[in-house]
Structures are given as structure tokens and as C-alpha cells.
């Protein structure tokens, strides 16, 4: 048997009724402040003057990524909204807003959602198209190729005419920009292997236009596609920035292409063509 005395546990201090009231009151205030923070956080993130700018020629995927960032949402949020939101698109688009996310600067506030932002873009596109009397999905599609292919706005009308002339002559478009879209890239270099890509966007392999626009064209490209100038051009190549050469003569085109290739090899500069 141990002769040690048993340990006596003394109760700790207890909160008075007033202390308990103060504690409950403090907890209540903290809960209210937390709730307000949740409600006000979007307004802090999307404060006054927040905007999203869509440049001419951006693809839908690029617009979605920029929207996610501007709205402080997880990657893929706007892409998902595009698939489930009913947007005012032509029937030919089959719900795909590519080509109708009009290049402009859009305001963003606390109430902006991916769906509302996409709807605003498409509404803006429809208004601009109506102003320019463009009613054809085909025109928007051609404009997207013009936007990607033209070196400068002054060349857009001729590029649009080349596309129209090739279609009229049942010639393949052979546009590098459509292959770039199929492969999810942007480059001046198209290989023979690229031209064998099994994609409906490969206008080397498949005749006619691709199934959808390949980017979101701006006002200049849309106007060029809607009313291209008269001309018999069937080929073009941007030999160097600011120097795009159009011709109906294939042999002349080959000479221009050779000059383009020589410049590419010597300096790495140049442009695209068809």
C-alpha cells in the first residue's frame, strides 16, 4: 500500500454569465463578418473598372482561358459554360460560339458569370453583323480565315477574294491557318506530314470550307469577307512583312514562294500564304 496522499483536482475558473454573453456576442460578430466577406469578395476581385479584352483573331479556347482568369474561376469553367449555355447562334454553328465571340472590351462586375459574358459577346457579334448586313455563317467562317491569313488589314479583301475564287474553281483552299487550328498551334511552318492530317479542318486534304470558323474575326476581316474586291487572284504569299503578293499565275506564285523560302532560311522571317 502506498502512503502517498491522493491528488486533489481543483476545478478551473468558470466563466461568469456576463463572460459567456460576451463570448457568444464575439462569435456572432465573427460569423457575420465571415458571411459578409464571402458576399463582398467578388466585388473586391471584380472591382469597378474591371474589363476583359478579346483581341481580333483569338480562338474560342483562348477567350475561355482569359475569361476564367478575369472572373477568378478555375480553368475550364467558361469552356463548360459554353457547352451548356444556349447562346443566340445560327443553326449552322450547332452551339459552337467560335467566330461569334466578338473582339472588343467587355465590362466585368460582381454579377458577371461565364454564361452572361459569353452571351454578351455573341449579342455584340450579332449586332455588328446586322449593322454590316452580314447574315451568312459562311461569311463569318471565311472572315475567320482572312483574319488568320492576312498580313495586314489592307490585304484582307484580296485574301477573301482568293478564297472565293478557289471555291468557285473547286480548288482546295490549302490554308495553313486551318491546319494550325486543327493541331491547336500557330506557326508559319507547315510540313508535308501536316497536310496529311485527318481533320475536317485540313483544307489541303478536304475540299471546301472547314466546318466552323477558326477564330473570332474583327470588323475589317468581316467587311472584307462580306464584300471582297473584284480580282482573278488564286494564290498569295507573304514574302516578308508588308509584302504579300497575289497572282492568278501559278508559275509566278512558285517564284514568290521560292523567294519566301529563301528569306525563311536566311533570316527566319516571313509569312504565310496559299
Amino acid at each position: 500500500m502506498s502512503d502517498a496522499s491522493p491528488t486533489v483536482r481543483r476545478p478551473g475558473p468558470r466563466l461568469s454569465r456576463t463572460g459567456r454573453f460576451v463570448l457568444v456576442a464575439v462569435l456572432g460578430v465573427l460569423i457575420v463578418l465571415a458571411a459578409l466577406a464571402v458576399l463582398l469578395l467578388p466585388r473586391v476581385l471584380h472591382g469597378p473598372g474591371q474589363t476583359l479584352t478579346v483581341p481580333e483573331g483569338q480562338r474560342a479556347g483562348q477567350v475561355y482561358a482569359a475569361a476564367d482568369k478575369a472572373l477568378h474561376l478555375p480553368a475550364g469553367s467558361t469552356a463548360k459554360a459554353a457547352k451548356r449555355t444556349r447562346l443566340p447562334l445560327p443553326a449552322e454553328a450547332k452551339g459552337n460560339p467560335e467566330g461569334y465571340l466578338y473582339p472588343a472590351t467587355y465590362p466585368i462586375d460582381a454579377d458577371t458569370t461565364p454564361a452572361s459574358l459569353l452571351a454578351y459577346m455573341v449579342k455584340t457579334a450579332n449586332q455588328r453583323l446586322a449593322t454590316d448586313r452580314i447574315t451568312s455563317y459562311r461569311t463569318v467562317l471565311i472572315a475567320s480565315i482572312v483574319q488568320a491569313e492576312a498580313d495586314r488589314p489592307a490585304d484582307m479583301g484580296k485574301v477573301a477574294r482568293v478564297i472565293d475564287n478557289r471555291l468557285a474553281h473547286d480548288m482546295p483552299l490549302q490554308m495553313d491557318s486551318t491546319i494550325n487550328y486543327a493541331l491547336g498551334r500557330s506557326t508559319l511552318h507547315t510540313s508535308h506530314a501536316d497536310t496529311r492530317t485527318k481533320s475536317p479542318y485540313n483544307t489541303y486534304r478536304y475540299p471546301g470550307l472547314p466546318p466552323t470558323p477558326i477564330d473570332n474575326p474583327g470588323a475589317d476581316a468581316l467587311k472584307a469577307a462580306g464584300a471582297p474586291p473584284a480580282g482573278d487572284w488564286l494564290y498569295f504569299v507573304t514574302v516578308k512583312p508588308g509584302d504579300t503578293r497575289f497572282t492568278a499565275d501559278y508559275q509566278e506564285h512558285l517564284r514568290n514562294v521560292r523567294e519566301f523560302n529563301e528569306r525563311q532560311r536566311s533570316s527566319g522571317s516571313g509569312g504565310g500564304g496559299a
Side-chain angles (χ1 to χ4, degrees):
M1 175 180 291
S2 171
D3 59 357
S5 301
T7 301
V8 178
R9 297 183 181 274
R10 296 181 179 180
R14 295 182 179 180
L15 286 175
S16 66
R17 180 176 300 177
T18 301
R20 290 196 298 272
F21 175 80
V22 170
L23 178 61
V24 170
V26 169
L27 289 175
V29 170
L30 291 175
I31 292 172
V32 171
L33 289 175
L36 286 174
V38 171
L39 292 174
L40 294 176
L41 183 59
R43 298 184 182 275
V44 173
L45 295 176
H46 307 154
Q50 294 294 311
T51 60
L52 171 64
T53 298
V54 177
E56 296 178 349
Q58 269 202 343
R59 297 170 184 168
Q62 294 171 303
V63 177
Y64 299 157
D68 287 342
K69 187 174 181 180
L71 295 172
H72 302 276
L73 294 173
S77 297
T78 305
K80 291 177 182 177
K83 292 180 179 180
R84 63 174 180 258
T85 304
R86 296 188 64 180
L87 299 168
L89 296 164
E92 299 97 314
K94 298 179 181 179
N96 181 354
E98 188 76 87
Y100 287 79
L101 303 176
Y102 195 80
T105 297
Y106 297 92
I108 292 176
D109 58 31
D111 299 323
T112 303
T113 65
S116 68
L117 185 57
L118 293 171
Y120 193 179
M121 292 179 185
V122 175
K123 179 181 178 181
T124 302
N126 288 331
Q127 290 173 341
R128 294 302 299 266
L129 292 172
T131 298
D132 293 332
R133 298 182 180 180
I134 296 174
T135 59
S136 169
Y137 185 70
R138 179 181 184 274
T139 300
V140 176
L141 203 163
I142 291 175
S144 73
I145 300 175
V146 170
Q147 183 75 63
E149 291 282 346
D151 178 54
R152 54 184 183 160
D155 296 326
M156 287 181 171
K158 287 185 176 181
V159 173
R161 177 52 64 189
V162 168
I163 295 172
D164 280 352
N165 287 346
R166 285 196 169 200
L167 293 173
H169 287 78
D170 293 322
M171 295 173 62
L173 292 183
Q174 296 183 331
M175 299 287 171
D176 295 350
S177 59
T178 64
I179 290 182
N180 282 339
Y181 187 79
L183 299 177
R185 68 183 193 189
S186 180
T187 179
L188 296 176
H189 304 284
T190 299
S191 68
H192 289 297
D194 293 336
T195 63
R196 294 192 294 272
T197 299
K198 292 182 179 180
S199 167
Y201 292 92
N202 180 0
T203 54
Y204 281 82
R205 185 183 183 104
Y206 300 101
L209 293 166
T212 71
I214 61 171
D215 58 46
N216 294 282
D220 290 332
L222 287 164
K223 290 177 181 177
D232 62 353
W233 312 291
L234 292 170
Y235 313 96
F236 71 91
V237 61
T238 299
V239 176
K240 59 182 178 180
D243 182 10
T244 300
R245 301 176 190 178
F246 297 84
T247 181
D249 185 295
Y250 184 59
Q251 294 304 316
E252 180 182 356
H253 177 62
L254 290 180
R255 290 194 293 272
N256 292 334
V257 170
R258 281 196 294 271
E259 184 175 343
F260 161 73
N261 288 332
E262 290 171 0
R263 286 181 175 274
Q264 286 280 79
R265 284 191 294 270
S266 63
S267 65
S269 63

